[in-house]
Each structure stands twice: as structure tokens, then as C-alpha cells.
Amino acid sequence: MLSLLLALGSSLAYGCADFLGGLGARRAHVLRTVMVAAPASLTVELLLWPFLGASFAPATLAWGAASGVASAAAFALLYRTLAIGPMNVLSPVTALVSAMLPVGVGLVQGEHLGPAGLIGLPLALGAVVLVSAGQGAKSARPSPTALLLALGAGSAIALQLVFLHQAPSDSGVGPLIVGRAVSCAVTLAAAGVMSRRLGPDKPAYALSATAGVLDSVANLLFLLAARSGDLAVVAVITALYPVGTVLLARGVLAERVHRGQLVGLGAAAVAVSLLALT
């Protein structure tokens, strides 16, 4: 039950971070947003170090660095994917892939699900698709390039989660610190190379920094959830992050919640209940 609650918290934090980061990216180039968000996220993890501890054994450094590279790749692929659209089709593809790969890894590593879990897991995956999809998803047809990028983005997100899970369980926040430091370095290097394409607009500092803080919280909650529960279950619950984004868009931006998304929200609630019984 604890791992389920932590995964739900991680999902909510990821959803809020994506919403705020999306708002920030509307005001300036996405790399400018990430250049604020990533250091803010790293700062939070450094502040948590004295309280949660951290070790930097070779395995922690290796898995943490790998998660950082995957995180940077996820940012680049995800935003490129959504830039060439259509978002309503590609978002659920990305979310579904990011959930299914960790599920496969967990099952290969010997995790087992009870009868309730065998029902709740595919139901949760379906909820990811329904909540992520908006009106017009059926009529829009992405290009083969867009679909490949979406698969790549989902795979990069999944690899980040898997790599964090593989880090030693007694490493504290070490993998998060290493991963975020590597991600910051990669992002800043990319921004330096693309400096002439970033435009003159200044980033929304408050929105971007808050998104980075929430992303850090989401990573921490996922790591704790994965250490105390099954990766297969935790990854799927975490992939329900579009729920938070959809609800915030409805409450803050007055965006319409479509019928399919309402069905997805209901399916998510049922799936979480079933997985809690696993």
C-alpha cells in the first residue's frame, strides 16, 4: 500500500510539473525553460541529501549517470515529438510506452501479480491512453517520423525509470543527484550549441523553477515507491501523470475534459483500487 501511495504522489507531481513546464514553454524556447527547471530540481535533491543520505558507490554513479542521459534524451525527444504533433495521438503513445517497458523489466526480473493485479494493470494502461487523448485524436494522423519520435521519447522516459530502479537500494538520493547533474550538463551543453536559435524571450522563471522542483519530488517519490514495491505496478501508476495535467488544465485554463478522458479518470480510479489489492 505504501508503494502505491508513493507512486500516486509521483504521478501527481509529474502531472503538475508537466503542466507548469508547458505553460513556461509557451513564453520562451523550451530549452530556456529547462535551463531553469533542471538546476532548480538539482538544488532540491542536494537539499534532501542531509536528511535522506546519499552514497556514491560505482554502481550508483553508473546507474545515476545513465538515468541522467536518458532524462536529457527524453526531454529532447518528447518536445520534438509534440512540436510536430498531433499531441492528442502522440502523448498517449509516449505514456503507454513509458509504462510498458518497466512492466516488462519487472516481470522479467521475477515480479508476480495476483488476480486483481492482472486485471488492474491493463486497465491502468488503458486509462493512460484515455486520459492522455483529447478530442480529435481519431481524425489526426501522425507521420511515421512523429510516431518513431514518440516511441523514442517513451522509451527514454522508461529507461530513466528503470535505471533509477536498478541503483542500489541503500544509495539514498545519490542516483537522483548524479542523474540530475548529468541531465543539467547535457541540457546546458545543448543550449550552448543552439544559443542562436533560442530567441530573445526570457523564460518564466517562477513557473520553470516550480516545474523543476515538482519534477524532483516526482523522481524521489518514484524511487521510494520502486524500492518498496514492484516496478511493474509502480511504473504504471506513475504513468497516470496525465490525470494531474488534465485536471489542472480544466481548473486553471478552463479546458474541456472530453468524454473519453472522463472514462479514463474512472478507469484509473478502478485500476488503482485493484492494484491496491495485489
Side-chain angles (χ1 to χ4, degrees), residues 161-257:
L161 300 181
V162 170
F163 292 154
L164 286 176
H165 177 259
Q166 297 302 314
S169 58
D170 60 351
S171 57
V173 294
L176 298 179
I177 293 174
V178 174
R180 189 58 67 187
V182 170
S183 180
C184 284
V186 172
T187 300
L188 292 175
V193 172
M194 299 177 59
S195 59
R196 295 183 179 180
R197 303 181 185 179
L198 300 186
D201 296 328
K202 294 182 179 180
Y205 290 103
L207 286 175
S208 303
T210 304
V213 170
L214 287 172
D215 187 73
S216 181
V217 171
N219 284 337
L220 173 63
L221 293 176
F222 169 81
L223 186 62
L224 296 176
R227 287 174 176 174
S228 60
D230 291 337
L231 177 63
V233 174
V234 169
V236 172
I237 296 300
T238 300
L240 290 171
Y241 61 84
V243 171
T245 306
V246 167
L247 293 178
L248 278 173
R250 176 67 180 90
V252 177
L253 302 178
E255 290 186 1
R256 182 183 175 187
V257 178

Side-chain angles (χ1 to χ4, degrees), residues 91-155:
S91 290
V93 171
T94 300
L96 188 62
V97 173
S98 71
M100 291 188 67
L101 288 183
V103 168
V105 171
L107 295 178
V108 168
Q109 290 181 340
E111 295 178 358
H112 299 283
L113 299 175
L118 292 176
I119 299 173
L121 200 62
L123 184 60
L125 290 172
V128 170
V129 176
L130 289 171
V131 173
S132 300
Q135 191 176 32
K138 294 182 180 179
S139 61
R141 293 185 178 182
S143 66
T145 300
L147 281 174
L148 286 175
L149 287 171
L151 292 173
S155 299

Side-chain angles (χ1 to χ4, degrees), residues 8-32:
L8 283 171
S10 176
S11 176
L12 180 60
Y14 275 130
C16 293
D18 286 352
F19 176 77
L20 295 177
L23 288 181
R26 292 181 180 183
R27 304 186 183 184
H29 193 283
V30 65
L31 273 181
R32 292 197 183 278

